[in-house]
């Protein structure tokens, strides 16, 4: 898979938890890939990465 350089910059506020949802649709996802997160050591984060159809939006 070619590098896509997708970025989702987020402003983190000390002592405040937040949630962000970002999605990138691309072809070639059947191949291996790498994801990187850059954040200060004081920031706690988690990530979920999936393949296939995106989940249906709740209404």
């Amino acid at each position: 898979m070619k590098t896509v350089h997708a970025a989702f910059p987020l402003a983190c506020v000390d002592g405040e938890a937040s949630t962000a949802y970002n999605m990138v649709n691309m072809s070639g996802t059947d191949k291996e890939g790498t994801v990187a997160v850059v954040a200060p050591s004081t920031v706690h984060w988690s990530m979920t990465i999936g393949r296939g159809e995106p989940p249906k939006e709740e209404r």
Side-chain angles (χ1 to χ4, degrees):
M1 181 159 58
K2 293 181 181 178
T3 303
V4 295
H5 298 287
F8 302 101
L10 301 171
C12 298
V13 179
D14 189 27
E16 187 175 307
S18 62
T19 301
Y21 297 96
N22 296 295
M23 182 171 54
V24 176
N25 291 319
M26 63 181 72
S27 61
T29 57
D30 56 326
K31 299 178 176 76
E32 290 184 6
T34 301
V35 175
V37 173
V38 178
S41 61
T42 56
V43 175
H44 297 272
W45 56 269
S46 64
M47 180 186 318
T48 301
I49 299 172
R51 293 182 175 179
E53 293 296 317
K56 302 267 189 228
E57 290 187 30
E58 293 183 29
R59 296 186 188 248

